[in-house]
Amino acid sequence: MSPRSASVNEELRRRSRERLLQAAVELVSERGYEATTLGDIADRAGSARGLVSYYFPGKRQLVQSAVHRLMHRTLEEALEREPRTEDGRERMARAIDGILGLARDRTVLMRQHMAGLLQAEGFVQCPEQQRLAELLRETAARHGSQDLDRDYPMLRSQLMGAVYSMVLPNVPLPLTTLRAELFARYRLDWEQGVPPDAEAPGGRCDTDLSRFFATDPTTPRSEGHEGHEGQSK
């Protein structure tokens, strides 16, 4: 049997990493951070347990990367949904609604994520976090920012504060209140973005997250080979 090409090996590694990210999001959403182990995540992903450490130095880094992936893909989907638009105010409204909707629909996950950010390591500088930052920075630019080094961090902090307020146990602020504050700050009309549906105050939590962690189903899988490659690299 001829050896696999470098491109096939790279695709296998990418698939393994994305399965681990998806498994981390699913399990932390279901059980919480403390009750989820790296072994649980590897088992859910169908990966060898020793493979996790090849991609991530620890559970905190894995979970943060997984949540940042879900956040940046959620934001990307919100910004690019049909009808597509280049209007900066509409894109800002969509960005706010995308992030607030995620906090509403994934309260346990986002609560654990916010708690993790307060740990000593803070933000994990992973590709997922960097992509999220790029999308938010681009949103601020299209909204008309004249000073991105000031306005992007402010947008990020405003969204983080809103998420924190929504997921705070026992005394959460409602999405509509926080949306109104953010829309007023950025001079947006309530009808822009995706206004909350009064008939569905609990939101619509999509249990199928596969589109956020998409892989090419035609690519062959071989966890045994992947584990060997990860140990030898």
mmCIF file of all heavy atoms in Angstrom, residues 104-106 202-208:
data_model
loop_
_atom_site.group_PDB
_atom_site.id
_atom_site.type_symbol
_atom_site.label_atom_id
_atom_site.label_comp_id
_atom_site.label_asym_id
_atom_site.label_seq_id
_atom_site.Cartn_x
_atom_site.Cartn_y
_atom_site.Cartn_z
ATOM 1 N N ARG A 104 -28.025 33.454 24.284
ATOM 2 C CA ARG A 104 -29.371 33.004 24.648
ATOM 3 C C ARG A 104 -29.533 31.501 24.449
ATOM 4 O O ARG A 104 -30.053 30.798 25.316
ATOM 5 C CB ARG A 104 -30.399 33.745 23.798
ATOM 6 C CG ARG A 104 -31.851 33.289 23.970
ATOM 7 C CD ARG A 104 -32.691 33.770 22.795
ATOM 8 N NE ARG A 104 -32.197 33.215 21.539
ATOM 9 C CZ ARG A 104 -32.480 33.729 20.335
ATOM 10 N NH1 ARG A 104 -33.218 34.799 20.232
ATOM 11 N NH2 ARG A 104 -31.995 33.161 19.240
ATOM 12 N N ASP A 105 -29.047 31.001 23.324
ATOM 13 C CA ASP A 105 -29.283 29.610 22.960
ATOM 14 C C ASP A 105 -28.285 28.637 23.587
ATOM 15 O O ASP A 105 -28.581 27.451 23.711
ATOM 16 C CB ASP A 105 -29.241 29.458 21.441
ATOM 17 C CG ASP A 105 -30.352 30.234 20.739
ATOM 18 O OD1 ASP A 105 -31.332 30.601 21.420
ATOM 19 O OD2 ASP A 105 -30.226 30.467 19.525
ATOM 20 N N ARG A 106 -27.095 29.126 23.951
ATOM 21 C CA ARG A 106 -26.042 28.267 24.513
ATOM 22 C C ARG A 106 -25.576 28.836 25.854
ATOM 23 O O ARG A 106 -24.403 29.070 26.082
ATOM 24 C CB ARG A 106 -24.855 28.198 23.550
ATOM 25 C CG ARG A 106 -25.208 27.756 22.140
ATOM 26 C CD ARG A 106 -25.390 26.273 22.050
ATOM 27 N NE ARG A 106 -25.898 25.884 20.739
ATOM 28 C CZ ARG A 106 -26.287 24.654 20.419
ATOM 29 N NH1 ARG A 106 -26.209 23.705 21.314
ATOM 30 N NH2 ARG A 106 -26.747 24.392 19.222
ATOM 31 N N GLY A 202 -37.672 32.102 24.156
ATOM 32 C CA GLY A 202 -36.559 31.235 24.534
ATOM 33 C C GLY A 202 -35.576 30.990 23.420
ATOM 34 O O GLY A 202 -34.550 30.347 23.621
ATOM 35 N N GLY A 203 -35.866 31.467 22.244
ATOM 36 C CA GLY A 203 -34.938 31.274 21.128
ATOM 37 C C GLY A 203 -35.111 29.906 20.485
ATOM 38 O O GLY A 203 -35.940 29.094 20.885
ATOM 39 N N ARG A 204 -34.288 29.649 19.504
ATOM 40 C CA ARG A 204 -34.335 28.386 18.769
ATOM 41 C C ARG A 204 -32.938 27.780 18.794
ATOM 42 O O ARG A 204 -32.071 28.171 18.017
ATOM 43 C CB ARG A 204 -34.814 28.625 17.334
ATOM 44 C CG ARG A 204 -36.216 29.194 17.256
ATOM 45 C CD ARG A 204 -36.602 29.511 15.821
ATOM 46 N NE ARG A 204 -35.758 30.574 15.273
ATOM 47 C CZ ARG A 204 -35.956 31.861 15.501
ATOM 48 N NH1 ARG A 204 -36.938 32.261 16.275
ATOM 49 N NH2 ARG A 204 -35.152 32.771 14.966
ATOM 50 N N CYS A 205 -32.731 26.840 19.697
ATOM 51 C CA CYS A 205 -31.410 26.243 19.880
ATOM 52 C C CYS A 205 -31.244 25.068 18.927
ATOM 53 O O CYS A 205 -31.885 24.035 19.087
ATOM 54 C CB CYS A 205 -31.229 25.783 21.320
ATOM 55 S SG CYS A 205 -29.574 25.181 21.679
ATOM 56 N N ASP A 206 -30.427 25.239 17.927
ATOM 57 C CA ASP A 206 -30.171 24.199 16.947
ATOM 58 C C ASP A 206 -29.212 23.183 17.558
ATOM 59 O O ASP A 206 -28.088 23.510 17.929
ATOM 60 C CB ASP A 206 -29.543 24.825 15.695
ATOM 61 C CG ASP A 206 -29.411 23.838 14.555
ATOM 62 O OD1 ASP A 206 -29.710 22.647 14.764
ATOM 63 O OD2 ASP A 206 -28.993 24.259 13.463
ATOM 64 N N THR A 207 -29.664 21.939 17.690
ATOM 65 C CA THR A 207 -28.821 20.923 18.315
ATOM 66 C C THR A 207 -27.774 20.364 17.357
ATOM 67 O O THR A 207 -26.811 19.734 17.796
ATOM 68 C CB THR A 207 -29.679 19.764 18.845
ATOM 69 O OG1 THR A 207 -30.442 19.204 17.758
ATOM 70 C CG2 THR A 207 -30.629 20.248 19.931
ATOM 71 N N ASP A 208 -27.947 20.559 16.061
ATOM 72 C CA ASP A 208 -26.983 20.066 15.078
ATOM 73 C C ASP A 208 -25.946 21.148 14.808
ATOM 74 O O ASP A 208 -26.226 22.149 14.151
ATOM 75 C CB ASP A 208 -27.707 19.663 13.793
ATOM 76 C CG ASP A 208 -26.745 19.094 12.751
ATOM 77 O OD1 ASP A 208 -25.550 18.904 13.089
ATOM 78 O OD2 ASP A 208 -27.184 18.836 11.618
#
